[in-house]
Amino acid sequence: MAVKTGIYKCFICGNVVEVAVNGKGTLVCCGQDMKLMDEKTKEGAGEKHLPVIEEKDNSILVKVGSVPHPMESEHWIQFIEVFTKDGFIIRKDLTPSDKPEAIFNISKNNVKIVREFCNKHGLWSVSL
């Protein structure tokens, strides 16, 4: 069963999909089931992935990691998402040439969850 807002990845070709509506079927790519990515909420050893949120006037600046995450062609943050308390999802897609951060025009008081997806290390989130 596909989970709403779940992030699924094909480990053959690298396709990544986010589910908009729950479904009974299985997501398949390259002839294999896609893997639902776990949302990691605690840092391990090595690189930093958890989103860091800073208030900026009536906006928030989301940085990936307490130390900036690498942004290289083989290893980068593909997107940052903000889930609001009133049910919206705001996303900023990134490329390897971008900084691992994004500004969102939303009050921190209206933020429920912030998450990011690293093409190499998966999905990371913080709840507010």
Side-chain angles (χ1 to χ4, degrees), residues 9-53:
K9 183 174 182 176
C10 174
F11 282 90
I12 294 173
C13 73
N15 277 338
V16 175
V17 298
E18 181 171 3
V19 175
V21 178
N22 286 337
K24 294 181 182 178
T26 302
L27 298 175
V28 176
C29 187
C30 297
Q32 293 187 5
D33 291 354
M34 295 183 83
K35 182 180 187 255
L36 174 62
M37 303 302 293
D38 294 329
E39 285 189 27
K40 298 172 198 84
T41 58
K42 294 182 181 167
E43 295 285 12
E47 294 176 20
K48 305 296 183 193
H49 285 89
L50 286 177
V52 176
I53 299 103

Side-chain angles (χ1 to χ4, degrees), residues 31-100:
Q32 293 187 5
D33 291 354
M34 295 183 83
K35 182 180 187 255
L36 174 62
M37 303 302 293
D38 294 329
E39 285 189 27
K40 298 172 198 84
T41 58
K42 294 182 181 167
E43 295 285 12
E47 294 176 20
K48 305 296 183 193
H49 285 89
L50 286 177
V52 176
I53 299 103
E54 297 178 8
E55 289 185 87
K56 299 281 185 185
D57 299 319
N58 291 325
S59 300
I60 60 169
L61 171 63
V62 178
K63 295 181 178 181
V64 177
S66 55
V67 173
H69 186 281
M71 296 295 279
E72 304 163 348
S73 61
E74 298 297 319
H75 182 199
W76 81 97
I77 302 304
Q78 291 183 292
F79 60 84
I80 300 171
E81 290 182 318
V82 174
F83 288 69
T84 70
K85 290 179 180 175
D86 51 359
F88 290 95
I89 302 170
I90 310 164
R91 179 176 50 224
K92 171 70 175 166
D93 294 317
L94 303 174
T95 68
S97 62
D98 293 324
K99 288 184 177 182

